[in-house]
Amino acid sequence: MSATAEVAELYSTLEESARLLDVAFERDKVRPILNAYQDAFAHPAAVVAFRVATSMRHMGELDCRFRTHPKDRDPYALALAKGLTGETSHPVGTLLSDVQERCPVESHGIDFGVVGGFKKIYAAFAPDDLQDVSKLADIPSMPRSLAENAGFFARHGLDDRVGVIGIDYPHRTVNVYFNDVPAECFESKTILSTLRETGMAEPSEQMLKLGQESFGLYVTLGWESPKIERICYAVTTTDLEALPVRIEPEIEKFVKSVPYGGEDRKFVYGVALAPQGEYYKLESHYKWRTGAVNFI
């Protein structure tokens, strides 16, 4: 299928999914993003996923994320050139190029909402070339909160396991995703001590059950505070009913409303914790390929 046909199909799918979810669909925001990165959808290694979340900040939104190719193309420069996001003097505007200069980025990802438009860019590293927290913390535009929490990451065996960096331009935050996370990080006692050490809300029993099934975790950092803003634990499954937790009504509606490709449906289910409480999010893969990076 041609890139133009792929874009038309994805646009139609997003529009219909938004209608079924009672989510507004901003055509003037969605179409320019799909057009700008249209070569990504026809690529043999294309990956596309849809996502919803239960927090107030995410309510009334349907997110879409996809992987871009070739890897040496600068997706942020393209977003600026196409007017998808505005110029800024904030360090968030130079972080991607700084990471690209210092680290071997294998691929990029784009995250946008059918309401909010362009949101994030991801820089993914090869699974056999995970990056050190210390190396990333030395990047001039990186939030100093990464360096401030280097000891915390080292104590949990995460200091040399960074697999993806996600840059949120509207909220001016950075997600740091860890791969090959030590199994003890997902034990209930470790989750509890981790959350208390970082000042997060006391977890529910549901969260602890889900945390024990996790394959990975990430933290959210900002430029305004030395503290970790959020921690997210995530699991993958092809059967939501097999998870040891109750699925929220809004997520059930999402599952019934969005399509998927392939014989088996693949989900990434995550719980995010902040000082204010916890919320859940679900990513459903529309197009998938074996070996692609999981993050939520």
Side-chain angles (χ1 to χ4, degrees), residues 90-139:
H90 189 276
V92 72
T94 57
L95 181 54
L96 180 63
S97 60
D98 285 349
V99 170
Q100 291 169 330
E101 287 176 5
R102 293 164 175 81
C103 303
V105 175
E106 182 188 50
S107 64
H108 296 98
I110 305 295
D111 194 330
F112 71 94
V114 301
V115 177
F118 181 86
K119 295 181 179 180
K120 299 178 184 177
I121 291 177
Y122 301 91
F125 312 115
D128 59 353
D129 193 15
L130 302 180
Q131 299 298 294
D132 292 350
V133 166
S134 59
K135 181 178 181 180
L136 293 166
D138 284 341
I139 294 174

Side-chain angles (χ1 to χ4, degrees), residues 55-294:
S55 73
M56 289 302 295
R57 193 179 95 177
H58 297 90
M59 295 295 285
E61 178 68 285
L62 169 63
D63 288 320
C64 176
R65 59 178 47 164
F66 57 89
R67 187 170 179 171
T68 64
H69 294 269
K71 66 180 181 181
D72 56 352
R73 182 172 298 175
D74 187 336
Y76 182 61
L78 183 58
L80 289 173
K82 297 295 184 180
L84 306 179
T85 189
E87 296 274 2
T88 178
S89 59
H90 189 276
V92 72
T94 57
L95 181 54
L96 180 63
S97 60
D98 285 349
V99 170
Q100 291 169 330
E101 287 176 5
R102 293 164 175 81
C103 303
V105 175
E106 182 188 50
S107 64
H108 296 98
I110 305 295
D111 194 330
F112 71 94
V114 301
V115 177
F118 181 86
K119 295 181 179 180
K120 299 178 184 177
I121 291 177
Y122 301 91
F125 312 115
D128 59 353
D129 193 15
L130 302 180
Q131 299 298 294
D132 292 350
V133 166
S134 59
K135 181 178 181 180
L136 293 166
D138 284 341
I139 294 174
S141 56
M142 185 67 69
R144 292 302 89 202
S145 47
L146 182 60
E148 292 284 345
N149 290 282
F152 167 81
F153 300 129
R155 286 195 300 277
H156 290 280
L158 302 171
D159 50 320
D160 59 352
R161 305 191 184 191
V162 179
V164 179
I165 295 291
I167 306 169
D168 187 323
Y169 293 93
H171 293 105
R172 294 181 175 177
T173 57
V174 175
N175 290 345
V176 180
Y177 296 80
F178 298 96
N179 291 7
D180 299 333
V181 176
E184 54 266 30
C185 288
F186 302 126
E187 296 175 358
S188 291
K189 63 180 181 180
T190 305
I191 293 175
L192 283 168
S193 64
T194 295
L195 298 178
R196 288 167 181 164
E197 181 180 356
T198 54
M200 302 301 158
E202 195 72 12
S204 66
E205 285 300 316
Q206 173 166 306
M207 182 273 141
L208 290 175
K209 288 180 180 178
L210 191 69
Q212 293 175 59
E213 303 290 329
S214 297
F215 73 89
L217 62 85
Y218 75 81
V219 300
T220 300
L221 305 167
W223 280 267
E224 302 303 319
S225 169
K227 296 181 178 180
I228 294 172
E229 294 188 7
R230 284 186 300 280
I231 297 179
C232 182
Y233 295 82
V235 302
T236 58
T237 183
T238 57
D239 181 10
L240 287 176
E241 294 183 359
L243 294 177
V245 296
R246 174 186 58 82
I247 303 301
E248 292 74 13
E250 52 267 60
I251 285 181
E252 284 186 332
K253 184 176 182 181
F254 167 75
V255 172
K256 295 175 181 178
S257 300
V258 300
Y260 64 98
E263 296 180 3
D264 292 323
R265 192 165 193 181
K266 181 179 175 60
F267 299 103
V268 181
Y269 190 60
V271 53
L273 295 107
Q276 300 79 20
E278 67 188 47
Y279 64 92
Y280 293 81
K281 38 193 178 173
L282 181 71
E283 180 177 282
S284 177
H285 291 97
Y286 176 63
K287 292 185 68 174
W288 181 250
R289 72 171 181 84
T290 302
V293 176
N294 285 310

